[in-house]
């Protein structure tokens, strides 16, 4: 999978994509992340300006030309008007009015060969970007970030760990919260007894079938307690 990010702050991504799981995934060739500086696509070659005032007043906006040019140079085809629809690729604008990101959506993104993520700043991007360039808009929650970079990183991180081979323990990924609409079951580690607080005996029993059954029950109980909205109405 290839993920392209368009931003005016390319350096923000280094700590996330050059460390830990995502770094290893890139080294193994499982994912390739390209960070593109929007300013390289400015029509204004001298000052590299990419923003302008909002018609009607109210702050600065990302201009459409550099964003269309950046996406077109990444994908190698024109995005508008004679838009080529390539089902293997998806152009995503990060923004608060988009669909809120969840595990199901992340799973859907896994089906694309290439994602182009657009991070805006200031008041956001000119409306023509959301309407005629991006194929969908994604929000990471009902709050306002200063820019789309952190949202893009959240998307990249949660997507990368679903790519087969990225996380070594596939079983643990399958049991993670929100897979199958359940929260994860609770976990304990050593010591067995911490200040009188003991690890449940069943986990020390060595009976894997029973542990599996018990964990299933605990996942269900945790979901019912913390996130009943994830369960079917009849199960709540
Ligand atoms: C300061 S925000 C613009 C907010 C916009 N004027 C509004 O009120 O909806 C600048 C940029 O940050 C990104 N952003 C802000 N909040 C976000 C969120 N919850 N999810 C995804 N991206 C977000 C978007 O790219 C947005 O264009």
């Amino acid at each position: 999978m290839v993920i392209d990010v368009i931003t005016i702050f390319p350096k923000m991504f280094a700590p996330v994509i050059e460390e830990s799981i995502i770094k290893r995934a890139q080294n193994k060739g499982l994912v390739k992340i390209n960070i593109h500086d929007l300013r390289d696509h400015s029509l204004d070659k001298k000052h590299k300006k990419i923003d302008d005032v909002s018609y009607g007043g109210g702050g600065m906006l990302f201009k459409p030309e550099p964003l269309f040019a950046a996406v077109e140079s990444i994908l190698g085809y024109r995005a508008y008007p004679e838009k080529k629809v390539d089902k293997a690729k998806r152009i995503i604008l990060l923004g608060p009015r988009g669909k809120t990101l969840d595990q199901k959506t992340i799973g859907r993104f896994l089906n694309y060969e290439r994602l182009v993520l657009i991070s805006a700043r200031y008041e956001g991007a000119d409306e023509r970007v959301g309407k005629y360039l991006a194929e969908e808009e994604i929000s990471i929650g009902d709050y306002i970030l200063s820019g789309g970079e952190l949202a893009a990183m959240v998307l990249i991180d949660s997507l990368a760990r679903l790519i087969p081979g990225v996380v070594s323990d596939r079983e643990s990924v399958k049991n993670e919260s929100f897979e199958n609409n359940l929260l994860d079951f609770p976990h304990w580690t050593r010591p067995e007894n911490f200040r009188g607080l003991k690890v449940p005996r069943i986990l020390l029993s060595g009976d894997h079938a029973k542990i599996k059954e018990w964990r299933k029950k605990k996942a269900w109980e945790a979901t019912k307690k913390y996130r009943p909205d994830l369960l079917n109405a009849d199960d709540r």
Side-chain angles (χ1 to χ4, degrees):
M1 172 174 256
V2 179
I3 305 174
D4 295 276
V5 185
I6 301 170
T7 170
I8 58 168
F9 292 118
K11 286 192 210 145
M12 276 183 76
F13 288 83
V16 171
I17 66 172
E18 290 172 18
E19 293 283 350
S20 184
I21 288 187
I22 300 180
K23 180 184 177 181
R24 283 204 307 274
Q26 292 200 86
N27 288 347
K28 283 199 224 164
L30 298 171
V31 62
K32 177 148 180 36
I33 300 166
N34 305 312
I35 309 294
H36 307 267
D37 189 340
L38 179 63
R39 294 192 191 281
D40 293 341
H41 299 274
S42 169
L43 296 182
D44 167 6
K45 293 298 167 214
K46 193 165 170 211
H47 301 102
K48 304 214 163 207
K49 194 170 154 60
I50 46 78
D51 58 329
D52 212 329
V53 291
S54 176
Y55 278 117
M60 302 301 279
L61 288 177
F62 275 16
K63 290 162 69 61
E65 308 95 311
L67 283 170
F68 274 72
V71 171
E72 287 169 345
S73 91
I74 290 166
L75 295 181
Y77 52 77
R78 227 167 127 78
Y80 186 86
E82 63 278 15
K83 188 177 176 68
K84 179 177 157 188
V85 178
D86 184 337
K87 290 207 167 111
K89 303 180 176 135
R90 196 74 168 162
I91 306 164
I92 300 166
L93 174 65
L94 282 318
R97 77 178 181 190
K99 181 183 185 305
T100 308
L101 191 64
D102 58 17
Q103 196 68 6
K104 204 168 150 203
T105 307
I106 293 287
R108 176 166 60 82
F109 288 157
L110 206 54
N111 297 320
Y112 294 103
E113 282 167 17
R114 189 161 196 165
L115 296 181
V116 181
L117 308 181
I118 304 174
S119 329
R121 285 251 152 191
Y122 318 130
E123 285 301 325
D126 180 283
E127 184 63 12
R128 286 162 287 195
V129 172
K131 267 203 148 141
Y132 302 105
L133 179 62
E135 291 161 313
E136 68 183 284
E137 295 187 42
I138 289 290
S139 161
I140 60 160
D142 289 350
Y143 41 82
I144 299 297
L145 301 163
S146 309
E149 290 78 10
L150 290 171
M153 288 184 234
V154 166
L155 196 158
I156 292 170
D157 185 87
S158 46
L159 182 59
R161 54 187 296 107
L162 292 189
I163 297 173
V166 169
V167 175
S168 46
D169 185 356
R170 288 301 298 160
E171 265 316 294
S172 80
V173 172
K174 274 198 259 160
N175 286 326
E176 272 174 338
S177 294
F178 309 117
E179 294 293 334
N180 312 314
N181 278 340
L182 285 176
L183 295 180
D184 195 2
F185 49 77
H187 299 262
W188 282 263
T189 185
R190 281 187 271 259
E192 220 178 288
N193 183 343
F194 170 68
R195 299 183 185 179
L197 303 170
K198 294 185 185 148
V199 173
R201 287 179 73 86
I202 182 144
L203 296 176
L204 312 173
S205 69
D207 185 335
H208 296 295
K210 270 202 177 137
I211 291 175
K212 199 170 167 195
E213 211 37 52
W214 183 84
R215 284 180 159 170
K216 226 160 109 182
K217 187 168 148 254
K218 288 289 165 190
W220 195 85
E221 282 172 11
T223 312
K224 194 169 162 123
K225 179 170 179 193
Y226 297 105
R227 290 294 306 274
D229 56 297
L230 296 176
L231 299 170
N232 291 329
D234 298 347
D235 294 334
R236 277 178 213 154

